[in-house]
Amino acid sequence: MQFYPLFPVLHPILKPRFPDCLWEGDRNSKLIALSFDDGPHPQYTPQLLKVLDRYNITANFFWLGACVNRSPEIAKDICDRGHWIGLHGYDHRNFPMLTPNDLKQSLEKTQVAIYQACNLEPQQVRDVRPPNGLFTPKTLNFLHQWDYRTVMWSVVPEDWVRPGVTAVVQRVLKNINNGSIIVLHDGVCGGEDVAEIAQVLIPILLQQGYQFVTIDTLWQQLKGTNGRGDKKAK
């Protein structure tokens, strides 16, 4: 079963219920964030980076700590290019299934892996996207208590089930708006097509006048430098 049709319905329901999460940027601005989960991957991520370089696009990567440890050179390459780095847990376990201690350790282990690969201090990498988008109010309270920022999404084309490049691109274009946060994947599930998807999608969005920015830019755009949007990840 594919869940893609549910995401556009869930987004306007969840966003007002959990306003401390970043669901999208300012609808009055043509700034959008292109994000990639589950990497870095030794094959798919370098292919994606070539496309991002070609169009001079700044993207956002939410990493699994285990993958950073397996591919530290690729992680450093991403960071050196100026892309924004966030956390996706150490090994993609759903946050609500973890004890508070296990959740904290999962995030901290990922921060350590990023520090060792990229020399980014833990306090510089505070944006967290829960695996599979699953969280509870208790999860969010812990993340807030530990001074993390929870980042969600507004455009989810369900690329991880590999419906085809054309289908993924069409789904994004159907749901894109000012301030959108697009979620794609450069990991084991979905990464096979990610470079080709980006190659098709990016020129179209550029032609439509969208500007690709970091997650931090959207935080600051919405909440200002005196709110929680002033936490820098780089």
Side-chain angles (χ1 to χ4, degrees), residues 163-175:
V165 172
T166 299
V168 172
V169 171
Q170 289 177 345
R171 290 173 179 182
V172 173
L173 296 177
K174 179 180 179 181
N175 292 284

Side-chain angles (χ1 to χ4, degrees), residues 147-168:
D147 200 27
Y148 293 106
R149 304 188 300 189
T150 306
V151 178
M152 297 303 292
W153 33 253
S154 58
V155 180
V156 190
E158 204 176 17
D159 59 320
W160 62 89
V161 300
R162 299 194 70 192
V165 172
T166 299
V168 172

Side-chain angles (χ1 to χ4, degrees), residues 21-27 29-35 60 62 84 127 129 149 151-154 177-182 211-225 228-232:
C21 300
L22 181 66
W23 295 92
E24 61 183 349
D26 187 351
R27 282 292 188 100
S29 170
K30 289 189 77 70
L31 304 183
I32 59 174
L34 181 59
S35 65
N60 305 269
F62 289 84
W84 191 256
D127 287 323
R129 175 173 286 150
R149 304 188 300 189
V151 178
M152 297 303 292
W153 33 253
S154 58
N177 289 292
N178 292 354
S180 286
I181 300 174
I182 305 166
Q211 179 182 350
F212 294 83
V213 299
T214 66
I215 291 295
D216 191 63
T217 297
L218 297 187
W219 276 116
Q220 296 200 34
Q221 181 189 47
L222 286 179
K223 299 194 176 185
T225 56
R228 296 197 70 216
D230 63 354
K231 296 294 183 181
K232 293 285 186 180

Side-chain angles (χ1 to χ4, degrees), residues 6 49 146:
L6 297 177
L49 288 177
W146 299 330

Side-chain angles (χ1 to χ4, degrees), residues 13-195:
I13 297 173
L14 294 173
K15 180 184 174 184
R17 291 193 62 188
F18 301 101
D20 287 338
C21 300
L22 181 66
W23 295 92
E24 61 183 349
D26 187 351
R27 282 292 188 100
N28 296 313
S29 170
K30 289 189 77 70
L31 304 183
I32 59 174
L34 181 59
S35 65
F36 300 93
D37 290 0
D38 295 357
H41 187 277
Q43 178 182 353
Y44 308 141
T45 304
Q47 294 171 351
L48 170 63
L49 288 177
K50 290 180 181 179
V51 179
L52 299 177
D53 285 351
R54 186 174 302 133
Y55 294 99
N56 195 29
I57 297 299
T58 299
N60 305 269
F61 290 84
F62 289 84
W63 283 341
L64 297 172
C67 292
V68 175
N69 281 333
R70 283 194 290 266
S71 302
E73 303 88 355
I74 297 172
K76 187 176 187 305
D77 202 16
I78 294 169
C79 187
D80 287 347
R81 282 169 157 81
H83 298 295
W84 191 256
I85 309 304
L87 309 170
H88 202 43
Y90 189 79
D91 52 11
H92 213 274
R93 286 184 293 170
N94 293 328
F95 287 176
M97 304 300 293
L98 300 176
T99 67
N101 186 60
D102 286 344
L103 174 57
K104 196 169 190 289
Q105 286 189 357
S106 174
L107 297 173
E108 290 177 348
K109 281 176 63 178
T110 305
Q111 287 174 310
V112 169
I114 292 171
Y115 172 74
Q116 292 173 341
C118 307
N119 201 33
L120 284 179
E121 296 286 349
Q123 63 268 23
Q124 295 178 276
V125 188
R126 310 299 296 182
D127 287 323
V128 177
R129 175 173 286 150
N132 301 308
L134 298 178
F135 62 83
T136 65
K138 189 175 182 180
T139 305
L140 297 183
N141 286 337
F142 281 124
L143 294 177
H144 181 80
Q145 176 185 327
W146 299 330
D147 200 27
Y148 293 106
R149 304 188 300 189
T150 306
V151 178
M152 297 303 292
W153 33 253
S154 58
V155 180
V156 190
E158 204 176 17
D159 59 320
W160 62 89
V161 300
R162 299 194 70 192
V165 172
T166 299
V168 172
V169 171
Q170 289 177 345
R171 290 173 179 182
V172 173
L173 296 177
K174 179 180 179 181
N175 292 284
I176 196 77
N177 289 292
N178 292 354
S180 286
I181 300 174
I182 305 166
V183 178
L184 297 171
H185 295 77
D186 63 328
V188 172
C189 297
E192 303 95 325
D193 298 327
V194 70

